[in-house]
Amino acid sequence: MFLALNEIRHSKLRYALVIGVTFLIAYLVFFLTGLSYGLAQEYQMAIDKWQATDILLSDKANDSLSMSQLDPKILDQVKAKEKAVLAQSPGIIIDSKDDQKKENVSFFGIDPGQFLRPNIVEGKMFQETGDVVADKSLETRYGYALGDKVKLATNGQILTIVGFTDQAKFSVSPVLYTSLETFHLMRYGASMAGQQSTSVNAIVTKGKPSETAGLSQLSIKQFIYKLPGYNAQVMTFGFMIGFLVVITAIVIGIFIYVLTMQKMAIFGVMKAQGISSGYIARSVVAQTFILAFSGVVIGLVATVLSAMALPDAVPFQTQPVFLATIAILIVVVAILGALFSVRSIVKIDPLKAIG
């Protein structure tokens, strides 16, 4: 360690460049991780709020929530610790005061007496026909407020925002919770008002549900992975992050190897003086650890500062476990990359290196 630190102090600029390159790559990896995790969370936030274990869809829907159509009466046939019906539909809302202000949303039709009921952070739960509880992002990001009226782009149905909930995104879109009656009115129009809803999209359960004819059972984890675009996004970011970690190892390995080659004569003299190859090799590994660790720490600090500065519109979230795992992985892989230099040190012939 003494030799490693002494060399770094002696050639500050040279090693600062190595730390700088490591920092830039580490920062990019951490930033992409934050974006990947943030996007993934915006796909599933509303699902996580359910704290459910399974979801039941029509066996003809190919595991697609939007394509599933169920008779609400089938709920009575399902046996589970807790169960709830869910009607879901994407939609576009238009500000009643500004026709140019449009937002893509996802509607959840629920029974407020069941466990899918959202928590209220502002306002109240929907009670009247046409009332909705919206995700907080519609207030903080898009400027909507309690009491605001919006209309559906499809049929002009007027809805009133009576409450806000938090962490309610589904497939990146803000969720608007409403009653099954209002959902039915939105889907089928005023001519069907007052009639019992003819269909829902799914039955969500806590605890393993009983097998029911005509229903396909998915765990919540399986359901999330089958959301359109979710798996492709996670895999894409995963491969990008993996390749960047490998690139980090290659870059640091090349730097250390070049520096080692430049010091062959010095290492030859040291070996001629009786200093073992193991001691020199440990110094190189320690040096690599210091450089990689320094770059990673600076990258982590920069990532946290960036997260604080980013606007709410950017789906960026830091997850300490992910960041710590990637940080350790970068350092470990960088040390493995330095082993090529260790191999060269072991092969040094003092006479040839000096001569």
Side-chain angles (χ1 to χ4, degrees), residues 47-65:
I47 300 173
D48 291 339
K49 284 171 70 77
W50 299 344
Q51 297 183 340
T53 58
D54 296 271
I55 186 168
L56 301 172
L57 306 172
S58 169
D59 58 4
K60 299 177 182 178
N62 193 30
D63 297 335
S64 171
L65 179 63

Side-chain angles (χ1 to χ4, degrees), residues 35-82:
L35 284 177
S36 175
Y37 182 73
L39 281 171
Q41 287 299 105
E42 292 209 345
Y43 263 87
Q44 66 186 70
M45 279 181 182
I47 300 173
D48 291 339
K49 284 171 70 77
W50 299 344
Q51 297 183 340
T53 58
D54 296 271
I55 186 168
L56 301 172
L57 306 172
S58 169
D59 58 4
K60 299 177 182 178
N62 193 30
D63 297 335
S64 171
L65 179 63
S66 60
M67 298 302 295
S68 177
Q69 297 293 320
L70 301 175
D71 186 333
K73 295 179 181 178
I74 203 170
L75 181 68
D76 297 330
Q77 302 176 30
V78 176
K79 306 299 180 184
K81 182 180 178 181
E82 288 189 67

Side-chain angles (χ1 to χ4, degrees), residues 8 15 18 249-263 267 281 283-292 334-335 337-342 344-345:
I8 293 173
Y15 289 102
V18 180
I250 294 172
V251 169
I252 294 179
I254 290 173
F255 267 105
I256 297 298
Y257 183 78
V258 170
L259 293 175
T260 301
M261 292 300 101
Q262 292 176 345
K263 295 181 290 185
F267 289 151
S283 296
V284 171
V285 171
Q287 195 174 78
T288 303
F289 171 79
I290 293 170
L291 297 175
I335 291 173
L339 294 180
F340 290 101
S341 300
V342 171
S344 300
I345 292 170

